[in-house]
Amino acid sequence: MDNQYTIQTQNLSKSYKGVEVLNIEELNIPKGQSFGLVGNNGAGKTTYFSLLLDLIQPTTGQIINNDIVVSESEDWKPFTSAFIDESFLIGYLTAEEYFYFIADLRKVTKTEVDELLATFEDFFHDEILNKKKYLRDLSKGNQKKVGIVASFIGNPEVIILDEPFANLDPTTQIRLKKIIKELASAKHTTVLISSHDLLHVTDVCERIVVLDKGVIVKDTLTNETTLKELEAYFGREDEENIELPAKDHSEESAQ
Amino acid sequence: MKLSKFSSFEWKKFSRSSYFEKGVVVKILLILGALYFIGLAAFLGFAIIFGLEKAIPDQDPFVTLNNFLIYYVLADLGFRYFLQQLPVMNIKPFMIIPVKRSKVINYLLLKTSLSFFNILPILFFLPVTGVLIYKSYDVLGSIIWFISFLSISFCINYANFLINKTQVFFYAIISVLAVLVGLEYFSVYPVSDLFGDLFYGFYTDKYWAIIPIGLVYVLFKANYNYILKHFYLDGAIVEKKESVKQYDLSFLNRFGKLSTFLKNDVRMILRNARPKQVVMMSFLFLFYGLFFYTQDIYQDMPAFLAFASMFITGGFLISFGQLVPSWDSEYYKLMMSQNISYRQYLESKWLLMVVACVISFILSTPYIYFGWKIYLMIAAGASFNIGLNSFITLYGGALNRVPIELNQKAKAFSNTNGFNPTQLLISLPKILGPMIIFYIPYKLLNFNAGLIALAASGVLGLIFKQKFLSIVENVYQKGKYKTLAAFNEKQ
């Protein structure tokens, strides 16, 4: 059981002033899986990722990252990396300085970083490196590119990306999908992403979990019908509202 | 859109901030402090006329009071400059909805009337006026005198914002003050008498009151125009292009593991408006000694000299250190999810503070002019700063969870003097520390013993450096979630 799962979630809940925003009894993610978290605003996706990174304190329960309880020890940090939002960037650095800073923290040499960056030339689309611009002056999309690539530095075993597709142009979205697929196929890295884009997330993730109001309502391995199922699930309320002829809901509500 | 609507927004902003919810103890202390000052002001107001009558019996106590009031005006100006919060308001939402700009600005400026600093003078001058009338001074004259001083108080209120926001006004005021002090000090012209006559004139020749009342209007308008001109978000209208400043920081590599953080900190200071301001300010601290060493009264109060000596070398150390880790608030989540050691992070900041202290000490060499005694005192103060003050300041900073917008300079709508009660409490040991460490051996033995004690306290701090760093590190670890939550809250 120990090495079967990279991430184990046990009786995890988070409340703010008595209001529960997340309650996950059990969620185990095997090593090497590309895992997608889907849900409407306020479903608890970012809360879950923040708990995973020990940025907020769980009300009950715990998350175990490679046998380490994240809220009790910091030993998960060397093999875990994340890009959640712009607060993971240092605005007054240039892209290169930022990459080297992260590399220093993760004990990666400059040459290794340069090699890694070379493989992302396409992804950067000549808008990031050697631009003599501070990160704070880059567009939101380009900032995101920097943050995502920085999270790949140092061969982390667990990569957490919150809404990686948002703000990216279509070309970059397609390139990012390719990159994530490659990472996942290597079976060394566990990738966790959250997204509002059902198409992208079903495309890159082997498994998809749907959160609604902090509770897991769907947990499925991706196949050809997953996208349809998800669209049906998220569209169900609209259909109810426009009062279509009575319809059998049992299929959608089955978890 | 009514003014009351603005007020309700402001109240919500105040009562719903996380700071308000957390700092209960600090709040109680603050309220107690305010009550103390209110009581003191009112008591002084009642007692001062009688007191002056006793002290200088052969002069009209009211004339004596007026002669001293210029010092009150100067002190008020000084206090407000360092302590009074500037009007802060989030203007972005109001920019595109149909509210007249004039309304927003007027509200902003009028809001400041309710400041503690404006209420205090009322509490002082009201009883004074009461006593004057009781002692059968001219009723109308006394009331006009009261109104004049109220106006002066408001003048200072509005002048303070201009001083804070515009460099030109700041230097203008400083120059005028310097000239006046110079005239008085070198006995060229008795400036304080002139002001004494003017203040007394409010009472005798009532129309003189037009001066302060008119000045309030002028300063209000000046503020109004200034804010109107700056009623834009920086960068939203005019996109600023910033060229990257590259520095060769490889010389920092000699610090080994620390160099990662050191390089980052140096870049942070050089590339952001707010830390640059701090560096400028700390340069001004170097001149602090000129106030103390030139005054004869302080020569017999070496404890105050010890305090001044600490400030000369401690400018950067205090103003930078009290905002560690706030300097990294913009990307604190990154720091907390990376594999960083708090120890190295802190040590890097500590080293910067120490280096700044040493540089300040070297720059303070001209103080030898005031004698070796003074210079040795500055040296002892520097030792205290490096060895003890640095850790006290870092400890205070860890408790002081105020998010900083690094690249926001003092703008019309930002709060430049991020002053809060936690900072005040934690600054007590910084201020009293060197005075006590110096004073006790000085009183028991002699001057040199005081010097040695102050210098030794710093050395002692250095010896226990690891221990002190561990204590601060502990605060970081314990407060991690609190700090993250506080920094997450946008101002």
Side-chain angles (χ1 to χ4, degrees), chain A residues 93 96-113 150 153-154, chain B residues 249 252-253 256-264 267 338-341 344:
Chain A
L93 296 183
E96 285 92 343
E97 286 167 350
Y98 178 69
F99 290 134
Y100 295 140
F101 176 69
I102 300 289
D104 261 355
L105 295 180
R106 304 189 76 86
K107 302 194 172 54
V108 175
T109 65
K110 216 170 161 171
T111 0
E112 283 173 282
V113 180
I153 292 174
Chain B
L249 297 175
L252 290 171
N253 286 339
K257 283 179 180 168
L258 283 187
S259 67
T260 309
F261 294 109
L262 270 178
K263 281 185 205 170
N264 214 33
R267 286 186 181 124
Q338 286 294 342
N339 193 26
I340 65 163
S341 118
Q344 284 168 19

Side-chain angles (χ1 to χ4, degrees), chain B residues 61-110:
Chain B
F62 188 45
V63 174
T64 321
L65 175 66
N66 278 312
N67 285 340
F68 277 112
L69 278 175
I70 181 63
Y71 296 106
Y72 154 81
V73 171
L74 288 179
D76 195 20
L77 191 66
F79 269 116
R80 283 180 196 252
Y81 179 72
F82 286 108
L83 299 182
Q84 191 174 14
Q85 300 244 349
L86 301 177
V88 186
M89 198 175 187
N90 185 10
I91 53 156
K92 205 170 177 178
F94 298 112
M95 286 176 79
I96 52 162
I97 56 166
V99 185
K100 283 232 168 72
R101 280 176 190 182
S102 56
K103 205 158 204 170
V104 181
I105 298 171
N106 277 329
Y107 170 73
L108 242 149
L109 288 173
L110 287 175

Side-chain angles (χ1 to χ4, degrees), chain B residues 77 81 155-177 215 218-223 226:
Chain B
L77 191 66
Y81 179 72
C155 283
I156 300 172
N157 183 55
Y158 291 120
N160 177 41
F161 301 137
L162 289 176
I163 295 173
N164 264 296
K165 292 304 181 191
T166 60
Q167 302 266 323
V168 185
F169 203 78
F170 175 78
Y171 290 116
I173 289 275
I174 291 285
S175 324
V176 170
L177 286 181
L215 208 56
V218 170
L219 285 167
F220 186 91
K221 272 288 160 209
N223 267 291
Y226 175 79

Side-chain angles (χ1 to χ4, degrees), chain A residues 17 53-57 71 74 77-78 85 87-90 92-94 97-98 101-102 104-107 132-134 136-137, chain B residues 21 242-246 260-261 264 267-268 271-272 330-340 342 406-407 477 480-481 484:
Chain A
K17 290 175 189 159
L53 291 168
D54 193 36
L55 296 175
I56 50 178
Q57 232 172 344
S71 52
E74 295 188 64
K77 285 181 177 176
D85 55 38
S87 64
F88 278 66
L89 296 175
I90 302 180
Y92 55 83
L93 296 183
T94 66
E97 286 167 350
Y98 178 69
F101 176 69
I102 300 289
D104 261 355
L105 295 180
R106 304 189 76 86
K107 302 194 172 54
K132 294 205 179 295
K133 257 188 176 179
Y134 297 135
R136 63 181 173 222
D137 294 332
Chain B
E21 283 163 9
E242 213 177 350
S243 61
V244 168
K245 298 177 201 95
Q246 290 282 11
T260 309
F261 294 109
N264 214 33
R267 286 186 181 124
M268 189 263 285
R271 289 174 178 179
N272 292 292
E330 281 182 357
Y331 44 89
Y332 205 64
K333 277 195 230 163
L334 169 83
M335 302 299 258
M336 287 301 106
S337 60
Q338 286 294 342
N339 193 26
I340 65 163
Y342 289 108
L406 276 175
N407 209 23
Q477 241 139 13
K480 176 182 166 181
Y481 302 109
L484 273 164

Side-chain angles (χ1 to χ4, degrees), chain B residues 9 26 37 41 45 71 87 105 110 131 185 208 219 232 257 269 295 315 320 366 377 386 397 422 440 455 463:
Chain B
F9 286 152
V26 176
F37 281 114
Y71 296 106
I105 298 171
L110 287 175
V131 172
Y185 187 75
W208 282 23
L219 285 167
Y232 297 101
K257 283 179 180 168
I269 293 171
Q295 302 284 324
F320 180 81
M377 213 156 191
I386 292 173
T422 322
I440 293 173
I463 293 171

